[in-house]
Amino acid sequence: MAEDELLAFREHWKQELTIKNEAHSNCNVTLQPSREDSKLKRYFEDFGQNRSEPGKKQDSTSPGSSKGGQGAFLSAAKTPNEDQPEYVSIAEGLLDGRTSPLLERIQEERTRRKRQYHSLTSACNTSSQQQPQRKINKGDKLVDQFIQDLNETNDIPFFDIELPYELALKIFQYLSRTELGRCAQVSKAWGVLAEDEVLWFRMCQTESYHHGASVSDSPCWKSMLRDCRNSENTVRSNWKNRVGSISQLQYELGKVLCDVSSCDSYVVAGYTSGDVRLWDTLHWDSAASFLKPSPLMADVTPRPHVSHIRVNNTVAVAAYDDGCVDVWSTETGQEPVHHFQIPGRVHALALSLESPTLATAAGLDVRLDQPDERGYWRTLCQATLPKPVESMVVVPWAGGRGGDSVPLVALSAGETVFLLAPEDLEPRVLHTVYGHPITCLDASASHAALGVKSCGWAMNDGGNKIHVYSLETGQLEMSVGNSAGDFSCVNLRDSPPHMLICGNKDRRVRVFDLRTGSSVTSLYAHHMGVTSVQADDWKIVSGGGEGLVCVWEMRMGAKLWEMHNRHPVRHLRFNTSTLVTANIPDEKSPRGACITDDDLTAHRRHRGVICHYDFSEDSTSQDHVLPICRSNNVESSGYNYNIGLTVPYDILSGSHPSH
C-alpha cells in the first residue's frame, strides 16, 4: 500500500473517532468514555505529535507505543459494544484470521522475505548508521501489520503450491477454451498451466484437427487451433454465400460421360470411348492422368464402354461392359496393377474407402478381391445368389475372428439383403420380405440402412420405409419414414453420427435422428425426384433428376443456393472445403451435332459435365476467366471456344436450357 494511502487511512480513522465522540457530547449523555476509546484517542494524539516532532523521544509507556496501541486495539475488538467503530470490526476479523491453516505458511513467507531483504541491504548498513534516522513509531507498525495481513492473501497461492504440476494439468484438461482463457487471468502460475501445449494439442485432436500429428509437430498448438477455427469459419461463410472457385473437369469433347467417383482429392471418370481419366485436385498444375487399359484390351476395337468407376486414396477401379475389370494405383503409375475377367456384364461394383478391397457382381456371381502384404491380389471369397445383385457396399467390420477388422459386403438382390464376409461360406440373410423390393442401400461400420418399397395392402401401414439394421446383432433396430413415393437414395456412411439422410421420388429430402427415430427436417427439393444426398452437421447438399444441385441450411431448412445442368446428378460428394458433382446423361449413344449426322462425335450438350467447387479459395481475388478460355493452343479443347460463346443452352453461357 502506498504512503499516501496510509496517511489517508489513518486520517479517516482519526476523524471517525472524533465524530463519534462529538455525537455523544451533543446528546448530553453523561457517560464516562470507555477505557479503550480513551486509549485510542491518546494513541492518535501521540501519533500526531510524533509526526510533527520527529526528533523527540517517545516514551515506551505512551499510548502510541506498540504495547499500548495494540492492547487498546485488542480490548476494543473484544468489547461487545454495539456502537463500536467500523475499524474495530475490521481488526477483529483480521485477528481472527491468524488461526487459519495457512498461518505456518505465512510465517515461512515472512521469514523468507526478511532474509532476502537483509541480504540485499547488508551492504548499506554502515552508511545508513552514520546518517540521522527517524525513529519509527510502534503505532505505525501496528497499522502496517494490518495492511500486510491484507496483502498476504494474494501472496499465498492455494492451487499450484499444494498440488503437483501433473495433477493440476489433469484437472485443467477438462476445461473448455473459454474456461482456460479465464483461468489464465487468475495468476502467473495458472497462466502457465492454461498455456500448456499438451492441453491445446488434445483440444485440437478433440475438435478433429490434425489427427495424425504429435505434440512435437507444432511449437504453439494454441495458435494452430486458432488458425484452424478461423479457416473453418471462413470456409463456412463461403459455403453459405457461394464464394469460391468453380472448375469443370473435361476430358474428350466428343465422348459421353458414363460414371464418376471421388474420394478426398481424387476424381476419376469413365467414358464411352473406354478411356479412364484421374484428376488430383490438390495439384492442378500437373496434367491429369490417363489410366491405360490392360494390354489384353489394347487391341480391341471398338473398345467397350466403361460401366462403373470407383476410387479411394490408394487405388482406382474401372469395370467395362464386356466384364473386364482394371485396377490402378493412384501413386505408382498409369499401368494397371491388377486385371481380371468376369463372364457377363458387371452389374455392381464396390470399393472400400478404408482399404483396397474390391467387390464385383455379375449376374448371380459375387467375388471379393484384396491384395496381400506383398501387393499380390487374391480372391478372398466367392458366392452365388438366387437373384442378380442390384447394389452393394463394402464397409470395415469388427466381427472377425479374434475381434479383427475384416471387410464386409452388404448386397441387395430383389427383396433380400445379404451380408458376405471372407470367413463365411455362404452369404447371410439380413432382411427379406416377399413382395417388397429394395430400392436403395447404404451401410456404415455398425449399421445398414435400406429403403423398402411397399405396395398393395402394405401402403395402409404408412407407405415406403427405411429399415435400419445392426450389423453386430443382425436385428432390426428401427423403421423410419412414411412416404407414398419410393426412396431413391440413402446416405448413412457419410452422415453425421446418429443421423440418416435420404431422398425420395416424392421430391423431398428427409433427415432422421437414429437415437429417437424422429424426423429432423423435410425439404421439398427436386421436381423430378432426388438422386443423391449428403449432409454434415449444419448443411445438406442434394442432387435431382432435373440436374439441379441445392445447398440447404439444416437448422433453418432454407435453401442457400443452387446450380443447374441439363443432365441428372448421379454423383455428389463434399468435404470441408470442396464439392464434386457429376451430371451424367442417361443416353450413352446420342446423335451427332447435326440431326442427319450419325458420327461418333456427340454434341457437347449430350456429354455430361463434372464440376469441382473449392470454397477455401476466394474467386473475387482472381480474374473471372472461364477454364475453356484459359486453354492454350496445344490443348484440343481450344477449338470449342466459339461454341461456348454462341450456344445459348450451354452451361458456360450461364443460360437456363428452357430459355
Side-chain angles (χ1 to χ4, degrees), residues 440 442 466 487-496 500-505 507-511 523 525-526 529-536 539-544 548-550 552 569-574 579-581:
C440 55
D442 195 20
I466 291 183
F487 286 98
S488 54
C489 55
V490 59
N491 195 324
L492 181 64
R493 180 169 45 181
D494 301 325
S495 300
L500 173 67
I501 293 88
C502 57
N504 199 290
K505 290 184 178 180
R507 312 174 185 178
R508 288 192 174 273
V509 175
R510 293 176 173 86
V511 181
L523 306 172
H526 307 276
V530 184
T531 56
S532 55
V533 290
Q534 187 181 346
D536 59 7
K539 66 178 178 294
I540 303 172
V541 183
S542 61
L548 196 65
V549 177
C550 300
W552 310 80
V569 181
R570 299 299 182 187
H571 176 76
L572 185 151
R573 188 177 183 87
F574 69 84
L579 169 65
V580 177
T581 61

Side-chain angles (χ1 to χ4, degrees), residues 144-283:
D144 294 339
Q145 184 63 46
F146 291 153
I147 298 172
Q148 184 179 1
D149 291 341
L150 290 172
N151 292 335
E152 280 179 350
T153 58
N154 297 327
D155 296 336
I156 306 300
F158 59 91
F159 187 89
D160 52 316
I161 288 182
E162 299 294 336
L163 294 178
Y165 186 86
E166 293 78 7
L167 182 58
L169 197 63
K170 287 185 175 294
I171 297 175
F172 270 56
Q173 71 181 358
Y174 296 100
L175 303 180
S176 62
R177 298 186 308 272
T178 305
E179 293 169 345
L180 283 177
R182 292 172 180 172
C183 291
Q185 302 176 16
V186 174
S187 63
K188 292 183 179 180
W190 281 39
V192 173
L193 283 170
E195 297 290 336
D196 191 88
E197 292 299 324
V198 177
L199 292 178
W200 293 101
F201 169 73
R202 292 176 179 174
M203 193 166 295
C204 283
Q205 298 288 316
T206 304
E207 299 190 13
S208 302
Y209 299 125
H210 304 284
H211 279 295
S214 60
V215 183
S216 59
D217 291 343
S218 175
C220 183
W221 281 103
K222 182 179 180 180
S223 300
M224 186 73 69
L225 178 61
R226 181 180 62 250
D227 296 341
C228 292
R229 290 186 60 84
N230 292 337
S231 177
E232 181 179 357
N233 293 333
T234 302
V235 171
R236 175 174 294 193
S237 177
N238 292 343
W239 266 98
K240 293 182 178 180
N241 300 298
R242 197 170 62 176
V243 176
S245 62
I246 303 177
S247 303
Q248 291 186 5
L249 310 183
Q250 295 184 355
Y251 172 54
E252 277 190 77
L253 297 176
K255 306 304 177 183
V256 179
L257 186 63
C258 292
D259 195 14
V260 176
S261 179
S262 63
C263 180
D264 292 339
S265 62
Y266 293 107
V267 181
V268 63
Y271 297 85
T272 55
S273 60
D275 295 330
V276 179
R277 187 169 183 178
L278 176 67
W279 290 272
D280 186 359
T281 58
L282 289 181
H283 306 87

Side-chain angles (χ1 to χ4, degrees), residues 98 102-112 152:
R98 295 186 180 279
L102 294 176
L103 183 59
E104 296 181 359
R105 177 59 183 160
I106 293 173
Q107 296 295 339
E108 293 178 0
E109 189 71 17
R110 289 177 181 171
T111 304
R112 184 185 64 81
E152 280 179 350

Side-chain angles (χ1 to χ4, degrees), residues 14 34 39 49 53 58 66 133 160 177 201 294 307 351 365 407 409 420 466-467 486 499 518 558 570 645 656:
K14 184 177 180 179
S34 62
K39 289 184 177 181
Q49 295 176 2
E53 299 178 8
Q58 183 182 359
S66 175
Q133 298 181 356
D160 52 316
R177 298 186 308 272
F201 169 73
S294 173
S307 58
L351 181 65
D365 298 328
V409 186
L420 179 62
I466 291 183
H467 296 330
D486 299 340
M499 301 292 284
S518 60
R570 299 299 182 187
L645 297 180
H656 196 279

Side-chain angles (χ1 to χ4, degrees), residues 3 13 38 148 169 271 283 333 348 356 418 450 463 488 492 515 599 626:
E3 185 67 22
W13 198 354
S38 301
Q148 184 179 1
L169 197 63
Y271 297 85
H283 306 87
F418 299 93
L450 47 113
S488 54
L492 181 64
R515 294 168 294 186
D599 61 357
L626 298 175

Side-chain angles (χ1 to χ4, degrees), residues 242 246 547-550 561-565 569 611 613 651:
R242 197 170 62 176
I246 303 177
L548 196 65
V549 177
C550 300
W561 51 273
E562 64 182 25
M563 293 291 290
H564 187 268
N565 198 284
V569 181
C611 293
Y613 304 82
I651 185 175

